[in-house]
Amino acid sequence: MRAEIQNITQEIDTSLELLRQRLGWDTARHRLEEFNARVEDPNLWDDPAKAQKLMRERQALVDALSTHDTIQSELSDNVELIEMGEAEGDVAIVTEAETALRALGKRAAKKELEALLNGEADANDTFLEINAGAGGTESCDWANMLARMYVRWAEKRGYTVELQSEQSGDEAGIKSAAYKISGHNAYGWLKSESGVHRLVRISPFDSAAKRHTSFCSVWVYPVVDDDIEIEVNPSDIRIDTYRSSGAGGQHVNTTDSAVRITHHPTGIVVTSSEKSQHQNRDIAMKALKSRLYQMELDRRNAAINEAHDAKGDAGWGNQIRSYVLQPYQMVKDLRTLHETSDTKGVLDGDLDEFMAATLAMDVSGKSRAEAQGE
C-alpha cells in the first residue's frame, strides 16, 4: 500500500478514535438502550417539552453511532479492496478503492470536527445580527453583502432563514438586520462569526474610483429552548411600538405594529417588525431571553467571553476577519490566520473552512494572540 494511502488510513483511524472519545464509547451503547427504554414509556408524552428533548438527545446519539460505524465499515472495506487488488494486480480495483478512501478521509475529518460541537447551546437555532459600522454608505452596502453571504451559507446547509428586522441605509444597503437561522448546530457553527468584519475594495459609490475600507459588526447568540427558564422582570423592560418601514406602495405598514424592547439593567435592545404586533412581542421577548441567556453562557465560558470582549467597536483595530478585494484578492481570519484567495466563493457563502478553523482553535485551547503569533 502506497505511503499516501497509509497516511489517509491513519488519519481516518485518528478521526474514529476522537469520535469515540466524544461519544464516551464505553457507555454509548448502554446509554442508547436506556433512551430506547424511556421512549417506550407510555407516560413519556405527558410532558411534551421533556419528551421532545429526550427524542432529540436519543436521535443525536443514534446519528453519532451510525456515523462512526459507517466510517469504520467503509474504511475496512476499502483497505481490503486495495490489498486484494494489489495481490491480484488489478489496477482498476486499487484505483477505485483509493479514490473512495480519499473521499472517506475528508468525510471523517468533517464528522470529527462536527463532534466538537458539544457546547451547551451548540445544537440550538441561532439569532444573527449585522450592524454597519464606520464607513457610512460604504458600510451599509458592506452590511448588505454580509447579510447575503450568511443567508447563502445557511441555505447551502439546508437551514431555514427568517428575517426578524431590517433598517435600510440612507442611500444604499442596510444599517442593520437581524435573522433567525434554524437548523441542527446552527449556533455551534455560526458562533465563531461574532466580531468585526473589514472590507477593502474600490468603492462603487466613489466617482474617483478610490479604495475604501468599511466595517460591520456581527453578533451571534443562541435561540433559547423552551425548557430553559429565563426570568425577565417586567419592571426591567420598556416596550415601545412604532410604525414599520416597508418597501412602499401596497406593502407600507399603516399600523404601529413593530415592537422594540429595551432591557434597562443590561442596555440590550431587540426589535421585530412582522405584520402582527402580538407576534412581534413574542419574537422580541424570545430574542431578549436569548441575549440574556448568551450573557450567562459568556460568564460561564471564558473562551467565548474573551472573544466577545475582543470584538470591540466596528472600526479599525478590532476586526476578526478582513475581506480584501483590491489591490489583491484575499479573505483572512486574524484569529486562526486561515486565508483564501477565493473571495467570490466566500461572499457566496463558502464559510465552512473559516468556521472549522476557529472551532478547532477554540478546542485546542490556543488564544487569539497565540494564533496570531504563530
Side-chain angles (χ1 to χ4, degrees):
M1 190 182 295
R2 293 189 297 119
E4 178 204 355
I5 300 302
Q6 287 180 332
N7 289 337
I8 293 174
T9 300
Q10 291 172 0
E11 288 172 0
I12 296 173
D13 278 330
T14 300
S15 293
L16 286 169
E17 177 57 33
L18 291 171
L19 284 173
R20 285 192 288 269
Q21 290 178 16
R22 288 284 168 181
L23 272 171
W25 191 252
D26 293 339
T27 62
R29 305 286 179 184
H30 177 64
R31 295 202 311 275
L32 181 57
E33 290 176 1
E34 289 182 341
F35 275 129
N36 290 336
R38 293 170 66 185
V39 166
E40 293 175 1
D41 183 352
N43 298 320
L44 173 66
W45 290 94
D46 290 348
D47 186 340
K50 185 177 180 180
Q52 289 174 1
K53 182 180 179 183
L54 174 68
M55 296 299 288
R56 286 197 301 269
E57 291 175 351
R58 176 187 175 278
Q59 191 58 49
L61 181 57
V62 168
D63 292 344
L65 288 170
S66 175
T67 294
H68 173 276
D69 293 347
T70 299
I71 293 174
Q72 181 76 74
S73 176
E74 291 185 23
L75 173 61
S76 299
D77 290 347
N78 284 301
V79 168
E80 287 178 9
L81 280 174
I82 291 172
E83 292 173 347
M84 182 180 69
E86 289 177 341
E88 298 178 358
D90 193 329
V91 177
I93 286 181
V94 172
T95 301
E96 183 179 348
E98 287 182 348
T99 300
L101 205 57
R102 290 189 187 93
L104 181 63
K106 293 179 180 179
R107 206 165 88 233
K110 182 178 179 181
K111 293 299 181 182
E112 172 195 333
L113 192 64
E114 288 178 353
L116 301 176
L117 294 171
N118 63 347
E120 184 172 359
D122 281 354
N124 290 25
D125 300 338
T126 189
F127 289 112
L128 170 74
E129 293 183 5
I130 301 169
N131 292 282
T137 299
E138 279 290 324
S139 288
C140 288
D141 191 51
W142 174 219
N144 198 44
M145 292 168 65
L146 281 175
R148 174 183 176 275
M149 179 180 77
Y150 287 119
V151 168
R152 291 207 167 190
W153 173 84
E155 290 174 347
K156 287 179 180 180
R157 279 190 164 265
Y159 290 164
T160 300
V161 180
E162 301 172 59
L163 179 63
Q164 302 288 296
S165 63
E166 182 179 281
Q167 183 180 5
S168 298
D170 293 333
E171 297 180 23
I174 56 175
K175 291 182 178 179
S176 65
Y179 295 89
K180 179 183 177 184
I181 299 177
S182 305
H184 184 60
N185 285 333
Y187 173 68
W189 283 114
L190 275 168
K191 65 183 180 182
S192 65
E193 296 300 296
S194 282
V196 177
H197 296 247
R198 169 178 173 254
L199 173 70
V200 180
R201 65 170 177 174
I202 298 295
S203 172
F205 306 102
D206 187 342
S207 58
K210 292 183 178 180
R211 194 163 67 241
H212 285 246
T213 299
S214 310
F215 299 91
C216 286
S217 66
V218 174
W219 185 259
V220 178
Y221 49 98
V223 175
V224 180
D225 288 338
D226 291 337
D227 57 339
I228 297 176
E229 302 242 345
I230 300 293
E231 292 188 8
V232 177
N233 189 331
S235 64
D236 288 341
I237 62 174
R238 185 180 77 243
I239 301 178
D240 299 312
T241 58
Y242 60 98
R243 186 161 298 178
S244 299
S245 60
Q250 62 182 334
H251 300 293
V252 170
N253 196 326
T254 57
T255 62
D256 293 338
S257 63
V259 170
R260 180 191 297 112
I261 298 180
T262 304
H263 187 248
H264 297 298
T266 61
I268 292 174
V269 178
V270 291
T271 61
S272 181
S273 52
E274 297 293 330
K275 293 181 179 179
S276 163
Q277 186 177 122
H278 177 76
Q279 181 185 18
N280 286 330
R281 283 176 179 265
D282 183 56
I283 291 172
M285 186 58 72
K286 285 182 177 179
L288 173 61
K289 289 183 177 181
S290 293
R291 288 284 294 271
L292 293 173
Y293 180 58
Q294 175 68 50
M295 292 180 67
E296 178 60 26
L297 285 180
D298 288 350
R299 281 192 286 269
R300 287 184 278 165
N301 189 323
I304 295 178
N305 197 40
E306 179 184 354
H308 288 327
D309 286 346
K311 185 162 82 80
D313 295 329
W316 284 102
N318 295 316
Q319 64 267 18
I320 61 167
R321 190 178 301 148
S322 290
Y323 306 71
V324 181
L325 307 185
Q326 194 72 25
Y328 54 88
Q329 302 275 314
M330 182 67 69
V331 179
K332 183 173 183 177
D333 195 288
L334 304 181
R335 300 162 297 179
T336 63
L337 303 187
H338 181 76
E339 61 183 39
T340 179
S341 59
D342 183 17
T343 55
K344 183 178 184 302
V346 171
L347 293 174
D348 277 339
D350 294 341
L351 293 166
D352 285 359
E353 290 186 2
F354 285 95
M355 294 176 180
T358 307
L359 179 61
M361 183 194 75
D362 289 343
V363 172
S364 70
K366 295 178 185 176
S367 68
R368 178 177 177 178
E370 288 169 338
Q372 287 176 321
E374 293 177 4

